[in-house]
């Protein structure tokens, strides 16, 4: 096992979003990481500051958060060199022989770090060393699943306080945040981490054969190829299909897909063996404004199915009154 807990600090355009380089909204200025063993104890550390090339002065927000000053960058190396060293450190887990034994598995606090790391690699035309699809462990999400309501997303400091972990160093340095994230992991069971993997959305499937099917304990997840529009995505039979997560048989719809809010679609399906299945599709845009769908299918109880019938009704009523108002 080779867990790499990663944390990045980044800078953004100091004169505001209007002047930013669209290909690199967040420029990485520090990489911090720790390597963990099976007991989630730290066996190695990586930390390096990176000299920014695109935004050479710090945005005021970055200055507020990050403890780095201009002088820290004076002798720093540039991103391509530091990234190369970082990835060779990731692969060098000390196990001799099999490369498979050293395959890094990345853990982060929140979904942003691996996405921004790939965006920075892509900006410099560096070939991505990541597998496709890139599976990782979002410890912020897992903290919510294990200790809270699955939906809330807390700051790292909140989690450290919640778990009564002593705060020995300041937050918001890449290395200290990686260490704190690993301390949260020490409180978690290995199974709680492994059963709740996440998929990174920086690189999504381009074509049908790359589409991603994931099976979790309580639901199935599907990530589609790209479509030119939301409408096209919702016309696709693979996107809109509903299979029972428990037996993988086609489940007939009780409520067809309907939209609630601008990005979410819901449906209700029925498996004769396993009962109601709630379908949800989130339509997302990639960096090139192409649409892809993230579908989850989850067995639910009758009460939750009834809520879905009500939701569908309320959407219909809202639409009707909107139409009436337009006519008047
Ligand atoms: Zn079934």
């Amino acid at each position: 096992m080779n867990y790499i807990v990663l944390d990045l600090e980044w800078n953004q355009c100091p004169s505001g979003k209007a002047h930013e380089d669209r290909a690199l909204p967040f420029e990485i200025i520090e990489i911090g990481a720790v390597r963990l063993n099976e007991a989630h104890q730290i066996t190695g550390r990586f930390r390096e500051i990176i000299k920014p090339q695109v935004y050479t002065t710090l945005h005021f927000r970055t200055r507020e958060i990050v403890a780095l000053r201009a002088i820290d960058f004076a002798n720093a190396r540039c991103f391509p060199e530091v990234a190369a060293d970082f990835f060779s450190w990731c692969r060098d887990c000390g196990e001799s022989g099999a490369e498979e034994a050293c395959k890094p598995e990345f853990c982060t606090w929140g979904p942003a770090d691996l996405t921004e790391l790939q965006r920075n690699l892509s900006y410099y035309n560096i070939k991505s060393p990541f597998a496709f699809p890139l599976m990782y462990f979002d410890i912020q999400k897992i903290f919510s699943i294990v200790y809270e309501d699955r939906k809330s997303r807390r700051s790292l400091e909140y989690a450290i306080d919640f778990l009564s972990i002593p705060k020995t160093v300041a937050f918001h340095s890449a290395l200290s945040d990686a260490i704190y994230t690993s301390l949260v992991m020490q409180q978690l069971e290995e199974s709680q981490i492994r059963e709740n993997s996440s998929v990174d959305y920086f690189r999504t499937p381009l074509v049908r054969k790359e589409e991603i099917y994931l099976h979790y304990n309580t639901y199935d997840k599907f990530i589609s190829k790209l479509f030119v529009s939301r409408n096209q995505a919702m016309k696709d039979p693979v996107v809109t299909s509903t299979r029972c997560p428990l037996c993988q048989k086609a489940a007939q719809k009780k409520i067809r897909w309907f939209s609630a809010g601008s990005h979410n679609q819901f449906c209700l399906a029925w498996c004769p063996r396993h009962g109601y299945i709630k379908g949800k599709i989130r339509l997302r845009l990639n960096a090139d404004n192409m649409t892809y769908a993230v579908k989850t299918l989850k067995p639910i109880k009758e009460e939750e199915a009834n809520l879905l019938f009500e939701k569908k009704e309320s959407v219909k009523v809202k639409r009707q009154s909107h139409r009436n108002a337009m006519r008047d």
Side-chain angles (χ1 to χ4, degrees):
M1 173 182 296
N2 184 20
Y3 276 142
I4 304 290
V5 187
L6 168 71
D7 188 79
L8 305 171
E9 303 300 334
W10 51 65
N11 186 26
Q12 51 192 308
C13 184
S15 52
K17 254 187 112 49
H19 301 105
E20 77 180 11
D21 184 335
R22 296 276 318 270
L24 193 75
F26 303 106
E27 184 174 23
I28 296 172
I29 53 172
E30 189 179 12
I31 298 179
V34 291
R35 188 194 314 285
L36 304 185
N37 64 13
E38 285 82 357
H40 305 161
Q41 288 156 333
I42 296 173
T43 60
R45 294 164 181 232
F46 182 99
R47 190 231 173 175
E48 190 158 342
I49 293 168
I50 295 167
K51 188 182 239 162
Q53 302 296 301
V54 181
Y55 312 121
T56 51
T57 56
L58 296 184
H59 186 270
F60 75 95
R61 279 283 296 154
T62 315
R63 250 180 296 148
E64 271 173 16
I65 301 169
V66 179
L68 296 172
R69 294 290 170 264
I71 191 160
D72 298 311
F73 299 104
N75 296 313
R77 297 191 295 165
C78 301
F79 178 79
E81 289 172 69
V82 179
D85 279 4
F86 171 64
F87 287 113
S88 66
W89 176 82
C90 288
R91 285 186 296 267
D92 181 19
C93 76
E95 302 265 340
S96 56
E99 197 176 297
E100 193 57 24
C102 278
K103 198 172 107 287
E105 296 189 277
F106 291 93
C107 311
T108 56
W109 191 262
D113 293 75
L114 285 166
T115 297
E116 296 312 326
L117 181 52
Q118 290 170 91
R119 207 188 306 282
N120 277 253
L121 289 168
S122 153
Y123 182 83
Y124 286 103
N125 289 315
I126 302 169
K127 188 176 178 293
S128 171
F130 294 111
F132 179 80
L134 170 53
M135 302 302 298
Y136 70 103
F137 301 100
D138 176 353
I139 307 304
Q140 184 188 45
K141 177 179 97 175
I142 297 172
F143 174 85
S144 178
I145 291 171
V146 173
Y147 297 106
E148 296 196 306
D149 60 357
R150 307 183 71 96
K151 292 207 164 108
S152 62
R153 292 295 180 263
R154 300 293 195 174
S155 71
L156 182 52
E157 190 165 6
Y158 174 96
I160 293 295
D161 286 337
F162 182 93
L163 297 169
S164 306
I165 296 168
K167 294 190 272 189
T168 49
V169 286
F171 286 81
H172 300 301
S173 107
L175 182 60
S176 64
D177 284 5
I179 293 170
Y180 280 127
T181 303
S182 77
L183 294 175
V184 174
M185 289 174 71
Q186 273 184 24
Q187 307 287 317
L188 298 166
E189 301 290 335
E190 181 61 11
S191 60
Q192 292 171 325
I193 296 173
R194 300 216 74 84
E195 284 163 12
N196 292 296
S197 61
S198 295
V199 59
D200 181 82
Y201 293 132
F202 179 75
R203 198 186 142 204
T204 53
L206 297 175
V207 292
R208 185 112 282 164
K209 70 174 186 349
E210 285 185 343
E211 288 181 327
I212 303 167
Y213 292 84
L214 301 166
H215 306 288
Y216 293 97
N217 279 348
T218 56
Y219 65 98
D220 275 2
K221 186 176 237 180
F222 164 79
I223 297 134
S224 80
K225 65 180 180 128
L226 297 173
F227 295 92
V228 292
S229 68
R230 287 183 200 164
N231 267 342
Q232 285 299 324
M234 289 311 294
K235 277 183 196 156
D236 184 82
V238 177
V239 169
T240 56
S241 69
T242 44
R243 285 190 176 278
C244 171
L246 300 173
C247 63
Q248 297 303 321
K249 294 220 170 81
Q252 215 175 21
K253 302 222 186 18
K254 293 281 174 192
I255 306 175
R256 283 197 287 173
W257 290 103
F258 66 97
S259 61
S262 55
H263 298 281
N264 290 333
Q265 311 270 335
F266 294 94
C267 82
L268 182 67
W270 173 259
C271 169
R273 259 183 79 195
H274 299 105
Y276 285 114
I277 296 151
K278 178 182 175 178
K280 180 180 175 187
I281 292 176
R282 253 182 320 145
L283 295 168
R284 302 176 56 126
L285 288 177
N286 77 356
D288 301 320
N289 271 323
M290 295 281 285
T291 297
Y292 63 97
V294 178
K295 174 174 67 181
T296 53
L297 293 166
K298 184 182 171 190
I300 55 168
K301 300 239 156 48
E302 190 161 354
E303 302 88 79
E304 217 184 323
N306 288 335
L307 290 177
L308 217 49
F309 278 111
E310 283 167 29
K311 195 185 192 109
K312 162 88 189 176
E313 271 314 300
S314 81
V315 169
K316 208 156 84 185
V317 171
K318 246 186 242 158
R319 254 195 219 131
Q320 197 58 48
S321 62
H322 180 71
R323 240 178 259 140
N324 292 344
M326 300 283 278
R327 249 200 318 259
D328 290 344

